[in-house]
Amino acid sequence: MRLLHTSDWHLGRAFHRVNMLGAQSDFIGHLVTTAREREVDAVVVSGDVYDRAVPPLAAVQLFDEALHRLADLGVPTVMISGNHDSARRLGVGAGLIGRAGIHLRTDPAGCGTPVVLADAHGDVAFYGLPYLEPALVKDEFGVEKAGHEAVLAAAMERVRADLATRATGTRSVVLAHAFVTGGEVSDSERDITVGGVASVPAGVFDGVDYTALGHLHGSQIIGERVRYSGSPLPYSFSEAGHRKTMWLVDLGPDGSLATERIDCPVPRPLARVRGHLDDLLADPELERHTGAWVEATLTDPVRPADPMARLAERFPHTLSLVFDPERSPQAPDISYARRLAGRSEQQIAEDFVAHVRGAGPDPHEQAVLRDAFDAVRADETVREVAR
């Protein structure tokens, strides 16, 4: 059975101030063309179909167009909701849409109920594990402590229990939206840390022929049978080195895999340049970036006049301007943003405690802070979905 694995469309998202709906529409067309020309048997979409719980109308219209084009193609499609989606909204009409061969899996309670497709060699069971927010699904899965590993492990127990009841030789595919240990992150993924832990071990998915992951935006191999497709388009300059692709997966009759990366259309390359403004404007080596979306980091000791306008004369598609002035080792780092760069909310709060009283929080206080941040994030998730 030939699968086309994609995820993280983020319909409705902009790249800095650039509207990406046109590029997203081009990707949908590319997806449909690839499925037809490569004779794909099933398409799997591993979450974050939309960029936010209440997407703009234009994004909803594009999703509707995608559903119609996939249904007209006659290729079964399995989709799950991600942490950016409203599972309840995305799942509206799932029963009716399923009759057209588009199978939306957004309810955590259905993790152990697969979409079963067949080829000449027998059945393939597709299990959709939507994004599982630990605080919201721990009761459903009967776990005492809300955590990503605990709820995913419980969901996979249901998958294995169902798979054990099926005919010998039934192959299995799991769709999941999670941060799996060993994956490389980018700046455009929303933090899903719970209890100080964001990732889960790849071993959670042992025993499955193929795990189609979503959430991380770089295409990557966690294990031979556990892979991220990555997002089809860039959503931050940290993705400048990404090759945006989908996975074409041939699942053999014995569960063996043969895989190929299918390149996605590139609306415009990304470039990150760094240096003094005058050097960036004069360096002939940078000529290749004149047609790219550019992020420029200026290292001038003193902020130059009209830097964006001057950069735009050479790099018309400059979107981001960062100042990182060169300083001597003795110069104080007075930038608050630089002091906070790369630090989590938990670390910032612990630093504040240490600053106020002269000593950092003890283990019990660290746990209180973690619980507070988890509760706020869970409450924000509930509020966003309820809007």
Side-chain angles (χ1 to χ4, degrees), residues 1 119 121 124 171 209 250-258:
M1 182 170 287
D119 63 10
H121 306 287
V124 180
R171 290 157 289 166
D209 291 313
D250 284 318
L251 183 59
D254 58 352
S256 60
L257 297 178

Side-chain angles (χ1 to χ4, degrees), residues 68-83:
H68 278 85
R69 295 182 70 178
L70 288 168
D72 290 344
L73 194 62
V75 176
T77 300
V78 185
M79 295 183 175
I80 61 171
S81 50
N83 61 301

Side-chain angles (χ1 to χ4, degrees), residues 120-356:
H121 306 287
D123 288 345
V124 180
F126 291 78
Y127 297 90
L129 279 56
Y131 172 67
L132 303 175
E133 175 62 43
L136 304 182
V137 302
K138 64 183 181 68
D139 292 338
E140 166 64 33
F141 291 106
V143 298
E144 293 183 4
K145 187 174 181 181
H148 289 294
E149 183 175 357
V151 296
L152 265 174
M156 285 302 300
E157 286 179 5
R158 294 188 183 183
V159 168
R160 295 188 185 94
D162 179 84
L163 193 56
T165 67
R166 299 192 174 272
T168 302
T170 299
R171 290 157 289 166
S172 55
V173 175
V174 164
L175 290 71
H177 196 86
F179 179 11
V180 177
T181 304
E184 295 184 4
V185 303
S186 62
D187 293 342
S188 54
E189 297 123 5
R190 183 180 294 172
D191 182 26
I192 59 171
T193 301
V194 172
V197 179
S199 64
V200 299
V204 165
F205 302 105
D206 284 351
V208 174
D209 291 313
Y210 184 71
T211 299
L213 293 174
H215 180 58
L216 300 186
H217 288 182
S219 177
Q220 48 200 297
I221 301 172
I222 303 300
E224 179 59 25
R225 297 182 180 276
V226 181
R227 300 175 182 232
Y228 283 99
S229 66
S231 62
L233 294 166
Y235 293 113
S236 73
F237 276 101
S238 65
E239 300 170 48
H242 287 188
R243 175 186 165 197
K244 295 301 184 181
T245 61
M246 302 177 286
W247 282 110
L248 189 70
V249 180
D250 284 318
L251 183 59
D254 58 352
S256 60
L257 297 178
T259 59
E260 177 186 349
R261 289 178 72 181
I262 304 294
D263 289 296
C264 296
V266 178
R268 194 176 292 278
L270 306 186
R272 301 178 107 172
V273 298
R274 179 184 179 90
H276 288 203
L277 177 59
D278 288 341
D279 294 337
L280 297 181
L281 297 177
D283 188 351
E285 290 294 318
L286 301 181
E287 188 65 25
R288 66 187 188 277
H289 298 318
T290 56
W293 282 322
V294 170
E295 178 183 75
T297 299
L298 301 185
T299 59
D300 302 71
V302 178
R303 185 174 300 203
D306 299 323
M308 182 61 92
R310 294 169 65 188
L311 281 165
E313 290 181 2
R314 185 178 191 192
F315 308 106
H317 306 286
T318 302
L319 298 182
S320 175
L321 187 58
V322 180
F323 293 97
D324 187 16
E326 294 173 345
R327 300 180 186 276
S328 69
Q330 293 78 27
D333 185 355
I334 59 174
S335 169
Y336 181 70
R338 289 179 65 183
R339 291 202 302 271
L340 298 186
R343 301 185 68 75
S344 68
E345 294 172 333
Q346 177 85 15
Q347 291 170 322
I348 294 170
E350 291 180 7
D351 289 347
F352 176 76
V353 173
H355 172 74
V356 169

